[in-house]
Amino acid sequence: PGGGWVTDLLYSPSHRYLLSCGLDGGLMCWSDKGKVMQRAEQTTPLYCMAYCARNNQLAVGGHAVVHVFALRAVARSSSFVDDDAGPRTDAAVVHLTSVRDAHDDIVRAIRCDAVGSGAFYTAGYDRAVCAFDPETLDPASRDKPHVRGKPRFRRFPNLHDAPIVSLDLDQDNGWI
């Protein structure tokens, strides 16, 4: 189904979905039976993903942006694939809720604080790390620079002399 390299894979055990994203801008959701449940098209390549069960949010890194999706659980008996026509479009599993521009180049790493606040942390080719409070990723906060006194995100520029392509989070103490 896609036309470009797959850049990241993510499995959601609570939903039993495999998600893949790639250079063709496609975000694919696969069932535990290997069937394509949905293909969500974006206009630019996608590079990395992280899911936070606490907020039911999927963050996907693109070129200078973070796409935020809600992930919907569906009954196992739901039919997402029409054998003749491919994936059905009326059975959305992932739903785009917001797009946040925070970086100046490719977003190459994302992690979620699943134990603590549910915040997302991103890193990229622009040598920056950004921290997104989950409350500010809500679609209702899209055009507001602050939500209840909180900035939409915090940006830490020039942390390295070269692009940052990996990121990890110590859940015990919140260190990146």
Side-chain angles (χ1 to χ4, degrees), residues 14-116:
S14 59
H15 293 92
R16 295 180 24 201
Y17 302 151
L18 177 67
L19 298 149
S20 62
C21 66
L23 295 180
D24 62 355
L27 172 63
M28 306 278 289
C29 183
W30 305 81
S31 74
D32 59 351
K33 305 289 187 222
K35 299 282 186 178
V36 176
M37 297 171 67
Q38 183 183 356
R39 179 177 172 83
E41 296 284 340
Q42 303 306 307
T43 57
T44 61
L46 303 174
Y47 300 99
C48 56
M49 297 182 287
Y51 175 68
C52 188
R54 177 184 174 110
N55 307 318
N56 197 39
Q57 292 178 319
L58 173 71
V60 182
H63 192 282
V65 298
V66 176
H67 305 268
V68 181
F69 295 86
L71 194 57
R72 183 175 75 120
V74 295
R76 288 284 133 205
S77 61
S78 296
S79 174
F80 283 91
V81 179
D82 179 342
D83 291 331
D84 298 326
R88 290 176 38 193
T89 57
D90 61 337
V93 177
V94 293
H95 174 72
L96 183 66
T97 58
S98 64
V99 178
R100 296 289 185 232
D101 52 341
H103 288 271
D104 297 326
D105 206 337
I106 290 171
V107 178
R108 191 57 191 102
I110 300 180
R111 291 294 177 264
C112 172
D113 180 7
V115 175

Side-chain angles (χ1 to χ4, degrees), residues 143-157:
D143 298 321
K144 300 174 185 174
H146 292 81
V147 176
R148 295 186 193 136
K150 297 179 182 176
R152 290 190 312 183
F153 66 92
R154 292 185 59 202
R155 178 181 164 90
F156 304 94

